[in-house]
Amino acid sequence: QVQLVESGGGLVQPGGSLRLSCVASGNIYSIDAMGWYRHAPGKQRELVATITSGGSTNYADSVKGRFTISRDNAKNTVYLQMNSLKPEDTAVYYCNADIRGSWYHRPYNLWGQGTQVTVSS
């Protein structure tokens, strides 16, 4: 069974930084795209950033220049470095990944359980 486990969330003051990590474990042959999404109260879940296995990245306009997504393929881990945090960044952040269980299987999509990020003074 494959699972994604996030860590690194917490309470931070406006202007501060946090680094989220998400580790994929289990029966994994390879991982295609990985990404971070967030869900704030009263809002729909939204994309924050994605990264392909080759390292190409994509960001929501609201986080460009402040957040950086990266990954370590050897560790099946994706990171989200969040700088200059704002109160509107407060949300539950979810890791997402397209997992291959073997070379001949199509990838399937998997979500982590989420980690809370609260930006408040």
Side-chain angles (χ1 to χ4, degrees):
Q1 182 177 357
V2 178
Q3 60 177 353
L4 302 178
V5 178
E6 302 103 331
S7 61
L11 173 64
V12 63
Q13 292 186 342
S17 298
L18 282 175
R19 188 192 195 205
L20 305 183
S21 299
C22 172
V23 180
S25 63
N27 182 28
I28 299 170
Y29 173 76
S30 66
I31 304 177
D32 292 350
M34 303 184 80
W36 291 94
Y37 292 73
R38 65 187 181 187
H39 190 189
K43 296 183 179 180
Q44 290 187 332
R45 184 178 295 191
E46 63 175 355
L47 179 148
V48 176
T50 60
I51 184 168
T52 67
S53 58
S56 297
T57 59
N58 179 53
Y59 295 92
D61 288 342
S62 59
V63 306
K64 283 181 180 177
R66 300 187 298 123
F67 291 10
T68 302
I69 189 170
S70 61
R71 63 190 284 174
D72 185 332
N73 292 330
K75 296 181 179 179
N76 290 333
T77 301
V78 62
Y79 306 97
L80 185 68
Q81 178 66 42
M82 305 185 294
N83 299 329
S84 302
L85 282 161
K86 305 175 181 180
E88 51 263 44
D89 294 317
T90 296
V92 178
Y93 283 70
Y94 295 90
C95 177
N96 181 268
D98 292 326
I99 307 289
R100 290 181 184 267
S102 67
W103 67 268
Y104 53 86
H105 281 138
R106 298 178 69 176
Y108 60 90
N109 191 254
L110 192 64
W111 290 92
Q113 82 288 351
T115 184
Q116 177 70 47
V117 171
T118 302
V119 184
S120 175
S121 55

